[in-house]
Amino acid sequence: MRKLSLLTLLLSVCVAVTQAQNITGNVKDDQGKNLSGASVALKKVKDSSTVKLGVTNTAGQYSFTGIAAGQYFVYASFVGHEGKNSPSFDYSGSGDLKGPDFGLIKATGNLKEVTVAYRKPVIEVKADKTILNVEGSVNAVGQDALELLRKSPGVLVDKDDNLSLSGKNGVQVFIDGRPTPLSGKDLSDYLKTMQSSSIEAIEIITNPSAKYEAAGNGGIINIRLKKNKSYGTNGSINGGYAIGVFPKYNGGISLNNRNKVLNVYGNYNYNHSDNRNNMWLYREVDVAPGDGIKDTLFDGATKMNMFSESHVFKVGADMTLSKRSTLGAMVNGNFSKNGFDNFSRTPISYIPTKTIDRVLVANNTSDSKRDNANFNLNYRYTDTSGRSLSLDGDYGLYRIKNDQLQPNTYYNATETAIIANRVYNMVAPTDIDIYSFKADYEQNLKGGKLGVGGKFSYVQTTNDFATYNVLNSGKELDKDRSNDFDYKENINALYVNYSKGFKGFMIQVGVRSENTNAKGYSTGLKLDNNNNYVNYDSTFKRNYTDFFPSAAVTFNKNPMSQWTVTYSRRIDRPAYQNLNPFEFRLDEYTYQKGNTLLTPQYTNSFGLTHVWKYTLTTTLNYSHVQDIFSQVLGVTEKSKGYITTENLAKQDIVSLNISYPFQYKWYGVFANINTYYSKYQSDEGPLGAIDLDVFSFNVYAQQTFRFGKGWIGEISGFYTAPSIWQGTFKSAGLGGIDGGLSKTVLKNKGTVKVAVSDIFKTMRWKGTSDYGIQYTRANGNWESRQFKINFTYRFGSNEVKAARQRNTGLEDENKRVNSGGGGLGGN
């Protein structure tokens, strides 16, 4: 594989940072009233260079943290007012400082419009998370959410599209701050319907505080969908086309109207995509366990043509009730149809004689429909004393239906005659309903900030899996292969969190308690001893309460070299699909079944982070995972393989992450390397003990070239070294390089982006497993190299008023700096 272009990074093991002390002051209008949402910039007296950007809160207060010693002044601007510089002041670099208060006067009619362009970096690295700003990337054009995650720093997507983060497989995915109940194939299929054109940013949160839900051993991935923040009436339209093996196209529209009282917004995106996947699956099986001889070989090749059509929308309104409170409502959804045509051929051989006994041809078709809608009602209150209250009520629904036709035709060794023919039809509708309510309250306490809150959530899933034998006379229900599975889960949570700054350091401590009540019903028919069908009920219950402490200490005496020590305990609950004991037929010789005995896996993590000059970030982390979910391959009916999930092993993992952004004039580069050592170990499993270890690393690098006159070039690449999937699979390395170019046109109202993904066509996956009585080797590829072109046109008002972002479930410490009509000025 060709080596990726990246910045060489060498640094000894170091540690980490969060915040420093505050410089605060107030901005008022010419009537002495506080200006909420004014844009502010902290600048050096020496050369007027910008050190930090910010936005005033509802009390008109600005605040800057993590500032080195020096002489500064503050520049402020606000829509309809003239920008102004504050008096200069000295800052020692430690402790709190009361900065200057000053006022802005209303602009006269002669004031010319000033346009400020603030570009967010494509990658932002903070002490607790990494942010991929999708809308700022050229190469992200035309990609879906799963592909974006595959190329994100520290994220690994395995052969079954399962996610892991820094070697840990318990990753919780959020959409707009709300957890999705999907996992496995359902989650990956959902992410594939989300196009980059509807995504603002992806947050990879590795060290969540007690305010966050405890789920996600590896951390949290939050996908933030776009929301227009401009003032007045405005919008945009976009359209794109891509070609690999098959053509793909997408388009969308965004509209927004904002005034002092009401903000109404909405967007819609359509995507149509046809793709080609290839997979080869080689299995050696011991059909007579105990003799130690693997005597039957299944050597399958599969070509899959996939299609997808999705409609993604978001509509909402925020109303200002008073200077201190807002009320908001939002609805978003994703309605999609997808499916595949599967062409599979598997010669079945007897290994001792190396002769083919028969050939299985299974040309399957599958059609599925996936509809999702989420409804949110929220209230926000903030006063000048530092008190704030956030209330959120949510309801979400998922309606999924799969209809698969699976013919299995057996031929003789020369494929000249049919030995047997069995045709199955699987119909599987799934309904998921989610209800939740959460409250978060914060106030100042003894020089620090106290936060308390709670959340109630209730999830109900209904699954009806029906298998039919397709005969010449029609379809007949296969009672042995059909069942109903209902699952209900209620989680009640309370948390308390406290943070306070001292001279030279600050602390944050918290604890979250979660009470889980779950019940599953798996019902159907089975044969009794008299060969009669009787009802069975595999009901199981889970009731448990856990505590999840978290803590962080930041040493910030020297703002240019800050350290943070962290600890957290987290949980990963089994997905409901993995609890259903029923056997799902993947093909005539492969099954998948759940495990009612599956219990949560728990992780204790210790971290050390160092941030040097606000750029070079180094994080060392150790995690111990108990009762880790492991994918187990077994054999039933002598030669038929099954896949299930067990609490099979424990995992110890040490990771080191280093990231560095560099900018010089027109050239910028961001490089990130994540390395880890992982060891899986179990004393005894259903098919023997496990003792696997691996050293792996993930490299991401992106170079940006600003050529001027609206031209921007971008080259990005990633490489993931060999690792372990799901506890038993050893994977090969995977990587690729993308390149793109963008140009602003039509007086900067339009942008054209052109990109090529996986230029050298190196993104091919491979994995092997040798566990128990089966050896498996799997490899494949997909339509990874594509040419893409996209056009976006913006219309209407382009004034932007800085506004306090609505928090819909996750803390968003990355306030977007939106400039007023006066601009930020300077650098």
Side-chain angles (χ1 to χ4, degrees):
M1 178 182 294
R2 304 187 183 214
K3 293 184 178 179
L4 303 178
S5 172
L6 59 129
L7 184 68
T8 304
L9 298 173
L10 295 173
L11 196 67
S12 58
V13 175
C14 299
V15 266
V17 22
T18 57
Q19 300 176 340
Q21 307 298 340
N22 294 326
I23 298 175
T24 58
N26 282 79
V27 179
K28 301 178 182 293
D29 63 13
D30 51 7
Q31 303 298 316
K33 296 180 179 179
N34 295 326
L35 279 179
S36 170
S39 298
V40 291
L42 182 68
K43 294 172 174 287
K44 292 182 179 179
V45 170
K46 181 175 66 174
D47 55 8
S48 295
S49 61
T50 299
V51 177
K52 219 158 197 184
L53 301 172
V55 177
T56 59
N57 62 18
T58 54
Q61 185 183 71
Y62 63 82
S63 178
F64 300 108
T65 61
I67 306 302
Q71 285 189 310
Y72 300 97
F73 68 93
V74 177
Y75 177 85
S77 64
F78 189 72
V79 174
H81 293 68
E82 295 185 22
K84 184 178 179 180
N85 294 328
S86 77
S88 62
F89 58 90
D90 294 325
Y91 179 56
S92 65
S94 63
D96 293 335
L97 176 69
K98 181 64 173 69
D101 297 337
F102 60 106
L104 304 183
I105 62 173
K106 289 189 176 181
T108 65
N110 296 325
L111 180 66
K112 294 183 179 180
E113 179 182 0
V114 178
T115 302
V116 59
Y118 170 62
R119 296 189 184 96
K120 299 191 77 173
V122 175
I123 301 286
E124 295 180 86
V125 177
K126 299 181 179 294
D128 64 337
K129 60 186 167 185
T130 299
I131 304 167
L132 174 63
N133 290 306
V134 176
E135 60 183 352
S137 172
V138 178
N139 289 336
V141 62
Q143 298 191 28
D144 59 50
L146 190 66
E147 274 303 294
L148 291 172
L149 289 174
R150 190 188 303 274
K151 299 173 183 178
S152 298
V155 179
L156 174 66
V157 182
D158 71 12
K159 67 179 182 65
D160 297 317
D161 293 337
N162 295 307
L163 299 172
S164 62
L165 190 56
S166 297
K168 291 177 281 188
N169 65 0
V171 179
Q172 179 71 50
V173 176
F174 284 66
I175 308 296
D176 271 342
R178 300 173 184 84
T180 170
L182 303 178
S183 64
K185 187 177 185 301
D186 286 335
L187 176 60
S188 64
D189 287 344
Y190 178 68
L191 293 176
K192 288 174 184 177
T193 66
M194 301 178 64
Q195 289 297 296
S196 61
S197 56
S198 64
I199 298 173
E200 177 181 330
I202 294 175
E203 298 174 331
I204 302 169
I205 306 169
T206 54
N207 185 39
S209 70
K211 186 175 181 179
Y212 295 81
E213 297 187 24
N217 284 330
I220 293 171
I221 294 176
N222 181 42
I223 299 174
R224 295 206 320 256
L225 302 180
K226 288 182 178 178
K227 177 183 175 183
N228 198 317
K229 304 175 184 69
S230 296
Y231 202 69
T233 301
N234 53 78
S236 66
I237 57 174
N238 68 84
Y241 176 81
I243 183 71
V245 177
F246 302 111
K248 312 132 198 346
Y249 48 89
N250 60 78
I253 184 171
S254 173
L255 294 171
N256 179 76
N257 180 271
R258 179 193 291 267
N259 57 38
K260 293 181 180 180
V261 177
L262 185 65
N263 176 38
V264 180
Y265 57 91
N267 58 61
Y268 165 79
N269 285 275
Y270 170 80
N271 177 67
H272 179 91
S273 179
D274 294 319
N275 291 277
R276 165 71 56 80
N277 281 20
N278 297 297
M279 184 179 74
W280 294 267
L281 181 62
Y282 177 97
R283 294 193 299 124
E284 294 180 4
V285 179
D286 180 3
V287 299
D291 61 8
I293 300 175
K294 296 180 175 67
D295 48 17
T296 304
L297 168 63
F298 301 83
D299 192 6
T302 300
K303 179 175 69 175
M304 185 182 296
N305 294 335
M306 307 174 69
F307 66 89
S308 174
E309 182 179 70
S310 63
H311 306 265
V312 180
F313 69 91
K314 184 175 185 177
V315 60
D318 297 316
M319 176 181 290
T320 301
L321 302 179
S322 69
K323 292 182 179 180
R324 298 181 179 182
S325 59
T326 60
L327 181 67
M330 187 273 296
V331 180
N332 65 19
N334 186 329
F335 298 96
S336 66
K337 295 179 181 179
N338 51 65
F340 60 81
D341 295 320
N342 197 48
F343 306 96
S344 174
R345 179 179 177 274
T346 305
I348 303 169
S349 306
Y350 185 57
I351 294 176
T353 61
K354 298 181 179 180
T355 56
I356 296 176
D357 178 70
R358 58 198 182 279
V359 177
L360 169 62
V361 176
N363 295 332
N364 308 330
T365 62
S366 176
D367 293 295
S368 64
K369 191 176 180 184
R370 300 172 183 274
D371 297 335
N372 161 240
N374 303 288
F375 305 85
N376 169 263
L377 184 65
N378 63 86
Y379 172 79
R380 303 288 179 263
Y381 173 86
T382 305
D383 66 15
T384 56
S385 67
R387 293 182 301 176
S388 66
L389 175 66
S390 298
L391 303 175
D392 279 275
D394 290 278
Y395 168 66
L397 64 88
Y398 292 81
R399 299 293 182 261
I400 305 169
K401 184 175 182 180
N402 293 305
D403 190 341
Q404 183 178 0
L405 181 66
Q406 188 182 89
N408 295 274
T409 304
Y410 292 89
Y411 292 88
N412 60 9
T414 59
E415 298 185 62
T416 56
I418 296 177
I419 300 174
N421 187 45
R422 289 187 279 273
V423 182
Y424 307 103
N425 177 213
M426 284 80 76
V427 181
T430 299
D431 293 346
I432 305 175
D433 293 277
I434 309 165
Y435 307 85
S436 69
F437 177 79
K438 69 185 295 288
D440 299 293
Y441 173 78
E442 288 187 345
Q443 71 167 50
N444 296 327
L445 179 67
K446 296 186 179 301
K449 180 74 74 173
L450 173 69
V452 295
K455 181 177 181 179
F456 162 85
S457 67
Y458 177 77
V459 180
Q460 178 175 313
T461 68
T462 302
N463 307 267
D464 179 12
F465 191 87
T467 299
Y468 297 91
N469 296 314
V470 181
L471 310 172
N472 293 332
S473 58
K475 295 196 304 184
E476 179 183 272
L477 181 67
D478 187 340
K479 298 176 183 178
D480 292 327
R481 304 295 184 190
S482 302
N483 94 319
D484 292 319
F485 180 66
D486 296 336
Y487 181 72
K488 298 177 181 179
E489 183 179 81
N490 161 236
I491 300 175
N492 306 296
L494 293 172
Y495 76 87
V496 59
N497 202 63
Y498 183 73
S499 61
K500 184 177 181 179
F502 298 88
K503 188 175 182 179
F505 71 98
M506 71 167 293
I507 62 169
Q508 176 179 293
V509 293
V511 64
R512 186 180 184 93
S513 173
E514 293 190 348
N515 166 249
T516 304
N517 305 283
K519 188 175 184 179
Y521 310 82
S522 182
T523 59
L525 297 173
K526 66 177 181 180
L527 290 172
D528 63 10
N529 295 331
N530 298 321
N531 211 31
N532 296 318
Y533 280 103
V534 296
N535 292 317
Y536 75 88
D537 185 351
S538 299
T539 299
F540 62 91
K541 294 182 180 181
R542 298 281 189 276
N543 303 100
Y544 51 92
T545 300
D546 290 300
F547 291 89
F548 303 95
S550 63
V553 181
T554 299
F555 301 93
N556 50 23
K557 185 175 182 179
N558 179 6
M560 306 306 272
S561 179
Q562 303 189 54
W563 300 78
T564 298
V565 182
T566 62
Y567 165 75
S568 66
R569 181 175 188 256
R570 301 190 64 77
I571 186 175
D572 203 38
R573 298 176 179 88
Y576 71 86
Q577 300 99 322
N578 291 334
L579 293 169
N580 187 359
F582 184 71
E583 292 184 353
F584 298 90
R585 188 194 306 268
L586 302 179
D587 61 38
E588 185 79 346
Y589 277 88
T590 310
Y591 298 85
Q592 184 171 351
K593 66 178 183 179
N595 176 11
T596 60
L597 300 178
L598 202 60
T599 60
Q601 62 180 25
Y602 295 88
T603 299
N604 286 280
S605 293
F606 302 84
L608 189 63
T609 303
H610 178 254
V611 178
W612 181 72
K613 291 188 176 181
Y614 307 107
T615 53
L616 180 63
T617 304
T618 307
T619 300
L620 178 69
N621 183 272
Y622 166 75
S623 296
H624 175 78
V625 187
Q626 192 67 36
D627 296 328
I628 191 169
F629 300 150
S630 301
Q631 194 175 80
V632 176
L633 304 177
V635 175
T636 183
E637 298 178 30
K638 293 188 176 181
S639 60
K640 296 182 179 181
Y642 71 84
I643 303 170
T644 191
T645 304
E646 302 267 0
N647 295 110
L648 198 58
K650 61 184 179 180
Q651 180 189 20
D652 290 284
I653 182 166
V654 179
S655 65
L656 176 67
N657 191 89
I658 303 173
S659 64
Y660 183 72
F662 174 78
Q663 183 74 42
Y664 181 74
K665 295 183 179 180
W666 53 270
Y667 174 74
V669 64
F670 170 84
N672 185 93
I673 180 168
N674 180 276
T675 67
Y676 66 88
Y677 170 79
S678 178
K679 183 174 182 64
Y680 294 83
Q681 195 170 26
S682 72
D683 296 331
E684 192 67 34
L687 298 175
I690 293 179
D691 190 1
L692 294 173
D693 64 343
V694 65
F695 171 80
S696 186
F697 63 89
N698 172 284
V699 177
Y700 177 90
Q702 178 160 306
Q703 300 178 77
T704 303
F705 310 86
R706 302 191 181 278
F707 302 115
K709 296 184 178 180
W711 288 95
I712 300 176
E714 189 176 288
I715 298 175
S716 60
F718 83 101
Y719 175 73
T720 299
S723 60
I724 296 177
W725 295 334
Q726 301 292 304
T728 58
F729 261 92
K730 289 186 176 181
S731 74
L734 177 72
I737 293 178
D738 302 342
L741 195 65
S742 73
K743 175 71 169 72
T744 56
V745 296
L746 302 176
K747 298 181 179 180
N748 291 328
K749 289 183 176 291
T751 303
V752 178
K753 295 181 180 181
V754 177
V756 177
S757 61
D758 193 18
I759 296 172
F760 302 108
K761 209 171 183 178
T762 54
M763 294 180 68
R764 299 181 176 92
W765 61 268
K766 182 179 180 180
T768 60
S769 174
D770 193 359
Y771 176 62
I773 59 176
Q774 179 170 266
Y775 169 79
T776 303
R777 182 177 70 241
N779 60 288
N781 56 49
W782 67 98
E783 204 175 326
S784 57
R785 182 163 64 185
Q786 298 179 20
F787 170 80
K788 307 166 185 179
I789 184 169
N790 178 272
F791 174 71
T792 300
Y793 180 75
R794 296 166 292 278
F795 56 87
S797 169
N798 60 4
E799 283 187 306
V800 181
K801 178 180 178 180
R804 177 172 50 87
Q805 283 192 345
R806 183 171 60 82
N807 184 331
T808 59
L810 286 180
E811 295 173 289
D812 188 0
E813 293 158 4
N814 287 325
K815 303 283 185 177
R816 296 199 60 181
V817 178
N818 301 310
S819 60
L824 286 175
N827 296 325

